[in-house]
Amino acid sequence: MNVLLIGGGGREHALAWKIAQSPRLTRLFCAPGNVGMEEVAEHVAIKSDDLAGIVRFAVDEKIDLAVVGPEDPLCMGLVNELTAAGVRTFGPDKAAARLEGDKAFAKELMWHRSIPTGDARIFTKFRDARTYVASRDTGVAIKAAGLAKGKGAIVCDDPAAGILALEKIMVQRAFGSAGDTVLVEEKLTGPELSVLAFVDRHSIYIMENAQDHKPIGEGDTGPNTGGMGAYSPTDLLDDRLLRQVESEILVPIVDTLRREGITYRGVLYAGLMLTAGGPKVLEFNCRFGDPETQPQVLRLKTDLIEVFEAVIDDKLGSISLEWDPRPAVCVVMASRGYPGDYETGKPITGLAEANAMEDVVVFHAGTRARGGQVVTAGGRVLGVTAIGEDFPAARRRCYEAVGKIHFEGAYCRKDIGAKAVAGKNPG
């Protein structure tokens, strides 16, 4: 099969790495890809938001399967365009992707079906939102309703900080039009985890779970990022809780979309917080997680192409996913200053040495080639990922690989997986 993977981040490198292992693969193209994907895929100089260019390429190259990685082209309707051109495509269509692209829409759907989530109010005017936040006496979470690359949620300990967050989003427009509508949500407390599932017209197949680390600082402090590391599996979800998440969250949201005339096919990502009152939804995403995908693909033994085709053909119920029982850990190496301003173009050394380690893969996220060197080109630069016999071994191997890689201003959290190693519930 000729496969086209759309995207160029760490998630897409991880997917490309896994797709390249399929015996059914003939050629793998990535648009636009990144320098780290060159070993497994052919680059196509088309940006992921160039829908017309991607469709033309897919038709001209007789692509048998297209896989859309990032949320932006999904929300723009790339799946619709490719499907209309006769290209079999994995990912939710534009209507289904609205579940991530419009948090206000998602929140209203959850309210409609009594899906457990935080109490919230929706605002389109700064003045009204400020008045509401000022009237509260507890912490709040301020969320841009649109796409903000994982950084649009600001958790505030008190109303004063909430007003500053509103000003950043609605007045200073830190996230552009994504902040035209905001949600002011109650501040939930508890450990977070990610539950991802493959979904087709008839079935929901929950993957092995993963634990993301959104805040920039150790101990989950500081502003949110796109994710500073992840590991899989976690011990947060036992069978009882997993059944509860499936029956009270995943099944109802898919059924609610269906009642709206929307069929969901692809990956459904539920970001959850395990509160004292049970699991509650923080957000829904319409694609694989980043960086959750990195440790998940190291553990997945099943051919991804088979899974993608089963979803497209509504035959998900006929397959079974096999997972390596060993845990995997991913540590993100970021540019100094991220998630704020940061410099790029810093030469990276030690990549070959890290990749040469047993059971280690270095996934590229924000890199590019310059003059025969690999240099930084983003906030999150690399996702160093390792698998081990147990969490201490996986974590030790991962940080050993991190220690071999150097670039000016490199930053990573030192506590990814620490709570799993300590035998505590990660969160």
Side-chain angles (χ1 to χ4, degrees):
M1 296 181 69
N2 291 330
V3 178
L4 172 62
L5 173 63
I6 293 93
R11 167 184 49 229
E12 287 75 40
H13 188 183
L15 292 174
W17 177 83
K18 186 61 182 177
I19 291 169
Q21 299 170 17
S22 172
R24 302 180 59 191
L25 182 68
T26 303
R27 299 176 73 184
L28 174 59
F29 301 93
C30 290
N34 64 42
V35 65
M37 298 158 76
E38 291 177 350
E39 294 184 2
V40 296
E42 302 173 50
H43 284 222
V44 180
I46 304 174
K47 294 182 178 180
S48 60
D49 60 357
D50 181 0
L51 274 57
I54 290 171
V55 172
R56 280 195 303 271
F57 177 86
V59 172
D60 291 346
E61 293 294 330
K62 297 180 173 55
I63 294 298
D64 300 298
L65 171 66
V67 180
V68 186
E71 59 270 28
D72 286 339
L74 287 168
C75 292
M76 293 169 66
L78 179 55
V79 172
N80 305 65
E81 299 292 330
L82 285 165
T83 303
V87 181
R88 288 167 58 79
T89 306
F90 176 83
D93 64 15
K94 185 176 183 178
R98 191 180 172 196
L99 197 62
E100 176 171 4
D102 186 348
K103 288 183 175 60
F105 168 75
K107 184 68 76 171
E108 289 170 346
L109 289 182
M110 287 186 275
W111 288 336
H112 179 68
R113 284 297 298 272
S114 299
I115 294 172
T117 185
D119 292 335
R121 293 278 297 271
I122 299 169
F123 296 95
T124 57
K125 294 181 180 179
F126 169 71
R127 179 182 59 193
D128 295 339
R130 180 184 59 190
T131 299
Y132 173 71
V133 171
S135 71
R136 296 179 60 86
D137 55 8
T138 58
V140 292
I142 309 296
K143 299 180 179 181
L147 297 177
K149 301 188 183 301
K151 295 178 282 188
I154 303 174
V155 180
C156 308
D157 292 331
D158 54 58
I163 292 173
L164 292 176
L166 285 172
E167 290 178 347
K168 178 179 178 179
I169 295 174
M170 303 189 81
V171 179
Q172 301 168 14
R173 300 186 62 78
F175 308 117
S177 60
D180 288 348
T181 299
V182 299
L183 281 73
V184 178
E185 189 170 302
E186 66 171 318
K187 180 185 174 184
L188 299 175
T189 58
E192 292 185 39
L193 81 157
S194 308
V195 174
L196 291 88
F198 292 107
V199 179
D200 68 7
R201 181 185 290 272
H202 309 297
S203 305
I204 296 174
Y205 198 126
I206 298 176
M207 305 180 209
E208 287 281 283
N209 57 30
Q211 174 72 45
D212 187 12
H213 297 68
K214 285 287 188 187
I216 186 69
E218 293 171 15
D220 290 331
T221 57
N224 276 346
T225 69
M228 291 302 296
Y231 53 86
S232 174
T234 80
D235 64 355
L236 280 169
L237 277 183
D238 56 21
D239 289 341
R240 180 189 64 80
L241 269 177
L242 192 61
R243 288 194 297 270
Q244 183 180 356
V245 169
E246 184 175 28
S247 63
E248 296 182 7
I249 294 172
L250 298 180
V251 170
I253 197 65
V254 171
D255 183 61
T256 300
L257 288 170
R258 186 180 293 118
R259 295 184 184 195
E260 297 287 326
I262 300 168
T263 297
Y264 199 105
R265 290 188 184 88
V267 172
L268 178 59
Y269 170 131
L272 307 177
M273 180 164 283
L274 299 185
T275 72
K280 293 189 177 184
V281 178
L282 295 174
E283 63 177 355
F284 283 115
N285 293 328
C286 61
R287 35 68 186 182
F288 286 96
D290 190 350
E292 294 97 333
T293 302
Q294 288 84 319
Q296 285 178 320
V297 298
L298 256 66
R299 299 187 59 225
L300 180 64
K301 293 185 174 182
T302 307
D303 185 343
L304 258 185
I305 288 180
E306 290 186 8
V307 182
F308 293 155
E309 292 227 286
V311 170
I312 294 169
D313 295 330
D314 293 324
K315 295 180 179 179
L316 184 57
S318 68
I319 68 169
S320 180
L321 272 61
E322 184 180 359
W323 300 87
D324 191 321
R326 296 178 298 166
V329 177
C330 172
V331 173
V332 170
M333 299 185 71
S335 298
R336 181 171 52 214
Y338 176 78
D341 295 334
Y342 53 85
E343 295 182 353
T344 61
K346 306 299 183 183
I348 306 172
T349 60
L351 291 170
E353 291 81 356
N355 269 317
M357 292 178 60
E358 183 180 2
D359 289 331
V360 170
V361 184
V362 180
F363 295 115
H364 290 234
T367 63
R368 61 183 175 89
R370 186 186 68 187
Q373 280 188 312
V374 178
V375 301
T376 65
R380 292 190 297 168
V381 179
L382 301 166
V384 183
T385 311
I387 195 166
E389 291 302 320
D390 53 25
F391 269 114
R395 188 169 182 268
R396 185 168 54 249
R397 183 171 293 152
C398 189
Y399 277 106
E400 183 181 346
V402 167
K404 295 180 181 296
I405 301 171
H406 304 279
F407 57 88
E408 183 185 335
Y411 169 78
C412 71
R413 282 182 54 167
K414 301 297 194 299
D415 62 345
I416 305 299
K419 292 183 179 180
V421 170
K424 301 174 183 177
N425 276 341

